[in-house]
Amino acid sequence: MKIICVETEEEMSARAASLIGGLVAEKKDAVLGLATGSTPMGTYALLIRMYLEGRLDFSKVRTVNLDEYVGLDGHHPQSYRAFMEEHFFQHINISLANTYVPNGVAEDIDHECRSYDERLERLGFCDLQLLGIGENGHIGFNEPAGHFTPECHCIELTENTIAVNSRFFDSPEEVPRLALTLGMRGILSARRLLLLAFGKKKAKAIAGACFGPVTPRVPGSVIQLHPDVTVIADREALSMAPQANQPCAPN
Ligand code: PGA
């Protein structure tokens, strides 16, 4: 695992955009695994800028998002489909037909989950999976649990996640209680993982994910099983990393 310690959120986004932009420049039909949330927003903004400057072409790129709320259709402003269109897709030359987000209003949710995993396989899996991490250690919406779930599945969100995500809704009651998420096999099937985190609130999750035991109680810890992981995090997010492993520690 490569851990890059940065000073600011801007630097985190710049490094991430440069990695993803480099991949898209090299492989025109790259499959990108994408994430929502506050963490990747700066990265998307920089990728949009690179596109507007004529440095990137997304016309053949395919994207697969990690998750979606159950019960919100793609037009709901808080759906992850709407988030992706607003913060990324509508500003670049990607074909929306090449962008995949689970359908949170599918009539048959189990069928939607199976189809989503099959879709990922048909695309040949992701070249790179971008990840944020929840304060409770979740990746995608794989919440802390007694076991890892390999497949795409429907999950009950924890009270912590509902509370944290309620900042995007008018009230906590409006936050959906269920979500669809890629499972661990889908996430680990990407050829490369890129985990981003900034701020003190993520320190415990980052310490657990990068340096703790691999356990479903800290779902992000599965990244330790992957052979090609880059973590870009600021000092605060890395502040609970064990001293000996502190990438920010002065030499
Ligand atoms: P955030 O969410 O980027 O908004 O902090 C990350 C996550 O919950 O996975």
Side-chain angles (χ1 to χ4, degrees), residues 118-137:
E118 285 162 16
R119 164 82 55 198
L120 183 62
E121 192 172 345
R122 273 205 304 283
L123 289 168
F125 303 106
C126 294
D127 291 295
L128 179 145
Q129 175 67 60
L130 180 60
L131 295 168
I133 191 163
E135 291 174 28
N136 67 359

Side-chain angles (χ1 to χ4, degrees), residues 3 26 28 34 40 60 67 81 114 116-117 129-130 139 151 176-177 192-193 199 236 250:
I3 301 184
E26 201 173 283
K28 297 276 172 236
L34 298 181
K60 296 198 170 62
D67 46 14
R81 159 59 70 182
R114 278 195 307 281
Y116 206 67
D117 274 337
Q129 175 67 60
L130 180 60
I139 51 171
E151 305 85 16
R177 268 38 190 176
R192 183 169 191 186
L193 302 182
E236 291 199 330

Side-chain angles (χ1 to χ4, degrees), residues 67-136:
D67 46 14
E68 178 61 284
Y69 289 116
V70 169
L72 302 193
D73 76 22
H75 299 295
H76 189 288
Q78 300 311 334
S79 72
Y80 285 172
R81 159 59 70 182
F83 176 100
M84 290 310 300
E85 294 193 3
E86 182 185 344
H87 295 288
F88 196 29
F89 299 153
Q90 68 180 222
H91 307 285
I92 56 174
N93 67 335
I94 198 162
S95 159
L96 283 184
N98 286 338
T99 66
Y100 300 98
V101 180
N103 177 6
V105 291
E107 252 174 51
D108 182 341
I109 288 289
D110 289 339
H111 180 263
E112 172 64 14
C113 289
R114 278 195 307 281
S115 310
Y116 206 67
D117 274 337
E118 285 162 16
R119 164 82 55 198
L120 183 62
E121 192 172 345
R122 273 205 304 283
L123 289 168
F125 303 106
C126 294
D127 291 295
L128 179 145
Q129 175 67 60
L130 180 60
L131 295 168
I133 191 163
E135 291 174 28
N136 67 359

